[in-house]
């Protein structure tokens, strides 16, 4: 009984995970939103809203043809990269130099915060040491304040 229940649960879970797996319109929508129209508008290929755009319709036809040829998603994207260059992608593919382009800015920000933290700790330690040894200048006296006021008064 328990074995049969586990089998039914497995089949149901498998069927839910496979929903829409073979749907070509979902794949078309997914791939079309990973590409940028090359007319210069900078919009996603399937969302290019230029009236009579001379580029989006041929690109959509090429996308359909590549999908019909049986290429996997990576193959379709590689076709467009080969034809238009990497600027055709809405987001860079992770790997190679693209990893560096994603990682280096984060590392620089972290190092910058670390450097600021180290500088502040050094200044604080120096100030604490000077205060403990009495090396900090004394607060100005009333005589000194009066002299500063006299020297900076406008005598015109």
């Amino acid at each position: 009984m328990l074995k049969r229940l586990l089998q039914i649960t497995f089949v149901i879970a498998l069927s839910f995970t496979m929903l829409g797996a073979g749907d070509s319109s979902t794949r078309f929508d997914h791939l079309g939103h990973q590409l940028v129209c090359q007319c210069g508008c900078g919009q996603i290929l399937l969302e290019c809203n230029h009236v009579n755009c001379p580029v989006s319709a041929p690109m959509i036809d090429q996308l359909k043809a590549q999908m019909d040829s049986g290429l996997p998603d990576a193959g379709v994207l590689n076709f467009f990269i080969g034809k238009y260059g990497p600027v055709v992608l809405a987001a860079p593919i992770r790997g190679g130099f693209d990893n560096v382009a994603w990682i280096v800015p984060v590392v620089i920000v972290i190092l910058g915060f670390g450097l600021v933290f180290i500088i502040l700790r050094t200044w604080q330690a120096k100030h604490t040491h000077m205060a403990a040894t009495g090396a900090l200048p004394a607060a100005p006296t009333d005589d000194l304040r009066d002299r500063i006021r006299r020297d900076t008064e406008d005598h015109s």
Side-chain angles (χ1 to χ4, degrees):
M1 176 72 178
L2 182 62
K3 184 177 179 182
R4 185 75 166 157
L5 184 61
L6 287 174
Q7 289 174 343
I8 292 172
T9 304
F10 177 73
V11 169
I12 291 173
L14 185 64
S15 64
F16 275 118
T17 59
M18 297 303 290
L19 283 175
D23 190 5
S24 62
S25 65
T26 304
R27 182 174 179 230
F28 173 75
D29 188 53
H30 175 70
L31 287 172
H33 280 88
Q34 291 184 4
L35 299 171
V36 174
C37 182
Q38 295 300 296
C39 70
C41 66
Q43 296 182 20
I44 300 297
L45 176 61
L46 297 182
E47 296 176 9
C48 180
N49 59 4
H50 291 114
V51 178
N52 297 325
C53 178
V55 179
S56 65
M59 283 183 73
I60 290 172
D61 291 339
Q62 291 170 352
L63 176 61
K64 289 178 182 175
Q66 292 302 313
M67 287 176 54
D68 291 341
S69 72
L71 282 174
D73 292 356
V76 173
L77 294 176
N78 285 334
F79 166 79
F80 281 96
I81 292 170
K83 184 162 185 160
Y84 299 102
V87 296
V88 76
L89 297 177
I93 294 176
R94 299 288 305 262
F97 180 74
D98 291 329
N99 282 343
V100 174
W102 283 96
I103 293 171
V104 167
V106 174
V107 170
I108 289 174
V109 167
I110 291 170
L111 289 176
F113 279 124
L115 182 63
V116 168
F117 178 76
I118 290 169
I119 290 172
L120 290 175
R121 294 286 290 186
T122 304
W123 286 348
Q124 181 186 18
K126 185 177 180 181
H127 179 74
T128 305
H129 176 70
M130 290 176 70
T133 60
L136 287 177
T141 62
D142 289 336
D143 293 337
L144 181 59
R145 284 192 189 116
D146 291 339
R147 186 172 139 218
I148 292 171
R149 281 192 194 102
R150 281 193 311 270
D151 290 345
T152 58
E153 285 179 352
D154 187 19
H155 296 291
S156 45

